[in-house]
Structure formats: structure tokens, C-alpha cells
Amino acid sequence: MLNSGYIAGVLRNNDPVKGICYIQQTRSENHMLPIHYDPKKSPIPREIKEWDLIMAFVHADGAVEGENRIAKLKSIRFEAPNFMHLGDRFRDDFMKKWSSAVHAAAVDSGTPKSVTELQAMPGNENDARLDSFDWKVMDLNKNASNQIRIAGFIQAKSLQRNRRHPVEGTPINDRLVVLIRQSKDSDQSIPVRWYGRNLQPLAEKLVRGMPIVVSGEFRIDVKALSLPDPDTQIAPVSKIPFIQAKDMPAPVSQDSGLIKIIPGWAAELFKSHGNGQTEKPADEDRAALFETAFVPQDGAVVQQPGT
């Protein structure tokens, strides 16, 4: 089943003994992205040090921690971003994340030298970059610094409507969580979230056992547990890693190659899916769902996800 992605950012807190590092894409250290790896099979190159830019090519997995479903990424290869990667698209996407204001009561890393150099990089295109396969692939993606694509079977879903901001009490977007299963162990299902103003039509379309493909970003859902410490002004938080979908899911056809075989456990889920397919063409149906869930009405403001 399709399972691939890459994360680019600033290398932080590498622990080669435990096989975990963090890739930072915002100035807030609360949102550093944990990346697991095998120190023997896919070590971090020696020339890449703390605060340097790094790219991790990853596979996604799921796990259960306490009462939470989380997403986990494991790197199969690390690289230093090269000249083919560092184009206008990469720089703009990454700098937009780095400059975003999130969680004031957290450690602010400032702007390391590697990010300053990236920001100052000239944006002129050149033949070498445009002709490179890497750049063409990067240019097709919606975010050149954080991209995950997975295909699998829907294990379960949960829709939360009429949500309100926990502090301000104002209405916020619906949240739909779908567990995408790729293995025999259902506890390894990958949690994928959608945020939008009306996700009920999408939730009704996504039924248990349906094979779908999703594109998204790896993110951390951060919640403050108490008020900031009076001395440090840092608030303790909980952190839940997840995949945030960036588009409508697409159904997986048998000849697509996105899911090459249907194992026994998936066949049982698939039976519950039945023949309830829509008669509309897939692209037309996805476009209609997108309009319903994400296009604001006149004068309306769609709040950003992350709550």
C-alpha cells in the first residue's frame, strides 16, 4: 500500500542511541516533529549537525498512546537539502511556517543561521534545477517541505461538530478523524484529520472498509495543560502527532497500483463497504465535497486548524 513522504527543516535534538531526532519547521519548539530511524540502516549523515537543514524521506505508521491515536514517522533516508530542493517553492513554504505565530508560552528558537541563509537565497531559476527529476516532483506537491501520501482501508472515523474554542468560546471548524489501516494490527492505523466548516457530507461518504488515498502533512496537536510558569513563562503542554489531510480523499481503484493486494483482514472490512459507491465521477464528487467543507460562504471566515 502506498506509504511515502518527506519532511524538511532544521535538525534538532538528535539521539542516535534511541534512534530519534526532531525536525523543526516553526520557531516554537512545541511543534518540533519527531522522526524515528534505525541508527544502523539509515543514520543521519555526519556532516549534518544541530541547527542545519535536513530532509527525511519517511514512512508513516500509527500507534496508541494512552487514550490517544498518534501518527509516527520513520525515516528510511536522511539528506542535506541540495540545490535542486532549495527553490522558490521550498523557501516560501518553509519560511511561511517558520514565521507563523504559535503558542507564545513556549520556547522560541529564534532564527538559526541555516534558516537565515535559506531566506536570503536568490530565487532565480536555472536549467539544472528545472531539468531535475527531484524538482519536478517537488513542484507537483502542495507543500515542498512537508508531504505525506498514504493509501489504505478505513478502520474507523469520528466527526466532531459545533466545536468551540476552549478559551475564547467562539465557533471553530469541524474536525473529522479517520483511521487508515495498512496492517493486520488495527492499533497501527494511521490517524488522519480533516478540518472544515461542514464535514458531515464527507464523513457520510467515508465508510468502514473503503480503500482511499490521502495527501497531507505531519503535524503536532499542542494543548496547554496549565498556565505558564511564572518564572520561565513556559506552559506545560500535551503533544499528539497526526496527519492533517490537505485535500479530499480519493477512492482507490483496483488497477491504480496504490494498493497492490488485499489481505484477509482488509477483505473483511471491504465486505462492510458494500456497493454504496456514488454514481457521480470521482473527481466531480470530490470537488463537490471540497466546496461543501472548505469554501467559505460570502463574508465568512474559515478558521485555521490546529485546535
Side-chain angles (χ1 to χ4, degrees), residues 28-276:
S28 170
E29 295 192 2
N30 279 345
H31 290 264
M32 295 193 302
L33 304 173
I35 308 294
H36 301 265
Y37 66 96
D38 187 324
K40 294 182 179 180
K41 295 182 179 179
S42 57
I44 294 178
R46 294 181 179 180
E47 66 271 16
I48 304 179
K49 308 297 184 183
E50 180 86 353
W51 298 108
D52 287 345
L53 293 178
I54 191 171
M55 290 191 72
F57 297 86
V58 299
H59 291 315
D61 198 0
V64 178
E65 285 191 357
E67 298 180 353
N68 298 315
R69 293 276 190 168
I70 68 168
K72 299 179 68 175
L73 294 191
K74 184 173 183 178
S75 176
I76 58 174
R77 187 174 79 255
F78 290 101
E79 290 183 2
N82 58 43
F83 189 66
M84 291 185 295
H85 300 137
L86 302 181
D88 293 351
R89 183 71 175 276
F90 176 94
R91 181 191 59 198
D92 292 346
D93 287 346
F94 182 78
M95 293 309 304
K96 185 182 298 182
K97 283 180 172 292
W98 194 268
S99 62
S100 62
V102 288
H103 295 269
V107 177
D108 187 331
S109 296
T111 303
K113 180 181 177 182
S114 59
V115 175
T116 301
E117 292 175 346
L118 174 64
Q119 188 174 19
M121 188 189 69
N124 293 331
E125 299 293 352
N126 60 80
D127 293 339
R129 181 190 298 151
L130 291 176
D131 290 341
S132 71
F133 174 78
D134 292 42
W135 176 251
K136 291 178 181 178
V137 173
M138 298 278 284
D139 199 39
L140 291 174
N141 291 318
K142 295 184 176 181
N143 185 335
S145 65
N146 190 327
Q147 178 75 17
I148 305 294
R149 294 191 71 223
I150 54 177
F153 297 87
I154 295 177
Q155 173 68 26
K157 64 182 178 181
S158 173
L159 174 63
Q160 292 178 300
R161 302 202 63 191
N162 303 315
R163 302 167 67 233
R164 291 190 174 274
H165 193 280
V167 177
E168 300 174 1
T170 54
I172 56 178
N173 287 334
D174 292 354
R175 179 171 66 188
L176 173 63
V177 181
V178 174
L179 300 181
I180 298 182
R181 184 172 170 182
Q182 292 191 322
S183 67
K184 185 176 182 180
D185 187 354
S186 61
D187 283 348
Q188 294 180 343
S189 299
I190 304 168
V192 178
R193 299 184 185 182
W194 280 263
Y195 290 90
R197 64 179 176 85
N198 180 16
L199 293 179
Q200 186 168 348
L202 173 60
E204 292 174 350
K205 292 285 185 180
L206 300 179
V207 297
R208 180 181 173 90
M210 178 186 291
I212 61 173
V213 58
V214 175
S215 295
E217 290 187 20
F218 184 47
R219 293 191 174 186
I220 303 292
D221 187 354
V222 178
K223 295 286 190 300
L225 298 176
S226 64
L227 294 175
D229 181 273
D231 296 327
T232 65
Q233 293 302 308
I234 304 301
V237 297
S238 65
K239 301 177 182 180
I240 302 176
F242 68 100
I243 306 298
Q244 178 165 323
K246 303 178 66 177
D247 198 350
M248 290 294 102
V252 175
S253 60
Q254 293 182 353
D255 59 351
S256 67
L258 299 175
I259 298 178
K260 296 183 178 180
I261 62 171
I262 300 180
W265 58 262
E268 293 300 318
L269 285 176
F270 191 76
K271 288 178 182 178
S272 67
H273 173 41
N275 297 317

